[in-house]
Amino acid sequence: MRNEQEAKQNKLQQNEHEHTPLDREQMGRDGQLGSQELLLTSKVQGNMDTHRLDQQSSLQSMEGEPGLGEQGQGLAQEMVTLMWDVNVLLHTAGTDMNNANDGGNQVEHEQQEQEDNLSAGQVSVQVTTPNDESDVKRESAYEQALADLQAAAACIRQGQTVAFPTETVYGLGADARSTAAVEAVFAAKGRPSDNPLIVHIAHRDQLDALVTEVNATAEALMAAFWPGPLTLVLPVRPGAVSPRVTAGLDTVAVRMPDHPVALQLIAAAACPVAAPSANRSGRPSPTLAAHVREDLAGRIGGIVDGGPTGVGVESTVVQVGDDGTVTILRPGGITAEQLSAVAARVATDPAILAEGSAGEASPAPRSPGMKYTHYAPEGALCVVEGPPAAVAAWVSAALAEAAQRGERTAVLAFAEHAEQYRADAVFSLGDASELEEAARRLYAALRSCDEQGATYIVAEACSREGLGAAVMNRLLKAAGHRLIQVG
């Protein structure tokens, strides 16, 4: 099971460079921090083999720091140093976000940037040469990155909000115990108050303080998929988190992310971190720090830039019944098939199957992602499902008609058909048989539709098996459940 996950993650990581130019281009876009805000930008490049960081050693790299253990310190430091080439900028209040990190790779450029930033009041800059094999420089970069993560963790402890990378999408984190901090998350996102938040932890021991019970099936799921893109809805311990986190429910959603930066940050914060996706509510989720800044610049306390995320869609959310039945409340990075390999019975919540029929008047959601339109671009989007040839014919005709109406058109298509479409913007989601790639590209493509000014957008449907269940869930939510079935 774990080997299968590692193989898939490694395949995603091999293509990470495709997102890097977009990240670098967008890092110079608009927005400034407010006068009381702090920006932490930590650009992480190279192989992020997060599965090698187990639940203990990934946390234990800084002896004596808040929330971090002592055992395994040397191992974690060695692994992270080998994985990361890190450029870090720490900005104080009022510093311009536009030049936070342009992704340049030349030492001369970085040295000039260091001088400029220091003259502008920047308090700490660590300049390193990307891909430099010097152990001394790598160790220095590693130590500086951890020091700056400590600064971000201090912001969380002080009640501020900080965006950070996970293996799925970027999250907007706050101390889950503080109602004021959690309300700042809702305010920054414009998130409906009845939409609960997921609490992120860095090690298993934190869970006991949050919940009253974990049954055998839930334990088995955690053993198989934590750290990773699986969220468990469990009975909340009274007073453990702010009632705003649970939206008044008697349960709390908890997960342990599989990303070394996220784990270090959460552990250093020494508190459970409530973190929905770091975007304005209803917008496509962010898979780059640049996406966070597009939506939330000036609204949040800081950003930790860990480069592009890997999975690309949010975690799977499940609830385990007393009889051991695992009910999927939101499809995501762990598939139903993977869950079935661990649990005796896996079911899908009827609310997912009925999405689009009850509208906004449906009951309060039991987990994030079960209500409201999400992930939507500005233009009108529909999803077309059916035999491939029939889908291609319908999409081609619809695009031509839209162009005649004066619409600016865009299409999200799989590689098998992408080249045949005539639109103002065509975004390939990769091969239809490789839905991991579609998951990774989806949100960036939806955001790019807005950048292109698309007013009429058509997306090809995909298989609903495996990770396709999550991809289709996000597509249909983005389209407001406008599904056209052909053939």
Side-chain angles (χ1 to χ4, degrees), residues 67-330:
L68 297 178
E70 298 180 1
Q71 297 178 348
Q73 174 185 350
L75 173 62
Q77 180 165 335
E78 177 184 3
M79 294 172 70
V80 176
T81 303
L82 289 173
M83 287 192 297
W84 291 358
D85 292 314
V86 184
N87 294 320
V88 176
L89 295 176
L90 179 64
H91 289 250
T92 54
T95 304
D96 189 350
M97 289 182 71
N98 292 338
N99 297 314
N101 188 341
D102 65 2
N105 289 328
Q106 298 183 6
V107 175
E108 179 180 352
H109 171 78
E110 292 173 341
Q111 290 173 338
Q112 181 62 50
E113 184 180 71
Q114 179 184 23
E115 295 173 2
D116 293 343
N117 286 331
L118 284 173
S119 65
Q122 184 170 305
V123 298
S124 175
V125 180
Q126 176 67 42
V127 178
T128 65
T129 303
N131 302 317
D132 194 326
E133 297 300 322
S134 167
D135 289 341
V136 174
K137 289 184 177 181
R138 294 170 75 87
E139 180 73 12
S140 176
Y142 166 78
E143 291 176 352
Q144 184 64 47
L146 288 180
D148 287 346
L149 283 176
Q150 288 294 324
C155 289
I156 292 176
R157 288 196 301 272
Q158 294 163 7
Q160 298 187 54
T161 56
V162 175
F164 62 94
T166 75
E167 80 282 20
T168 57
V169 299
Y170 274 76
L172 180 59
D175 185 344
R177 303 166 303 180
S178 167
T179 293
V182 173
E183 286 178 343
V185 171
F186 278 91
K189 287 178 58 68
R191 185 182 178 93
S193 61
D194 67 344
N195 203 358
L197 304 181
I198 293 174
V199 175
H200 294 65
I201 61 175
H203 55 84
R204 174 63 177 80
D205 291 346
Q206 287 181 282
L207 184 64
D208 296 331
L210 299 175
V211 305
T212 59
E213 180 184 358
V214 181
N215 66 25
T217 302
E219 288 283 7
L221 292 174
M222 287 186 287
F225 302 114
W226 276 13
L230 180 69
T231 295
L232 289 162
V233 175
L234 299 164
V236 66
R237 186 176 295 279
V241 297
S242 165
R244 293 299 305 275
V245 169
T246 61
L249 301 174
D250 60 1
T251 56
V252 63
V254 186
R255 91 175 185 99
M256 184 187 298
D258 191 5
H259 193 294
V261 174
L263 290 174
Q264 292 284 358
L265 178 64
I266 297 165
C271 66
V273 175
S277 56
N279 56 299
R280 291 288 289 172
S281 188
R283 291 275 291 146
S285 296
T287 54
L288 298 169
H291 298 160
V292 179
R293 292 169 59 204
E294 287 175 359
D295 282 7
L296 300 179
R299 295 175 177 269
I300 63 177
I303 303 171
V304 177
D305 178 2
T309 60
V311 177
V313 294
E314 295 83 352
S315 63
T316 301
V317 181
V318 301
Q319 188 166 21
V320 181
D322 293 337
D323 63 351
T325 298
V326 176
T327 300
I328 298 174
L329 305 180
R330 181 182 73 182

Side-chain angles (χ1 to χ4, degrees), residues 19-40:
H19 287 268
T20 303
L22 177 62
D23 184 22
R24 292 175 177 171
E25 176 184 351
Q26 292 185 338
M27 284 301 291
R29 300 182 68 146
D30 62 297
Q32 287 190 345
L33 287 174
S35 60
Q36 300 300 317
E37 296 172 337
L38 174 144
L39 167 68
L40 175 71

Side-chain angles (χ1 to χ4, degrees), residues 7-24:
K8 290 182 178 180
Q9 184 72 9
N10 289 336
K11 183 176 181 63
L12 295 176
Q13 291 159 354
Q14 291 170 4
N15 296 319
E16 239 180 31
H17 66 277
E18 295 181 9
H19 287 268
T20 303
L22 177 62
D23 184 22
R24 292 175 177 171

Side-chain angles (χ1 to χ4, degrees), residues 327-349:
T327 300
I328 298 174
L329 305 180
R330 181 182 73 182
I334 298 297
T335 68
E337 292 80 0
Q338 289 174 296
L339 294 170
S340 295
V342 177
R345 183 169 184 269
V346 177
T348 299
D349 191 281

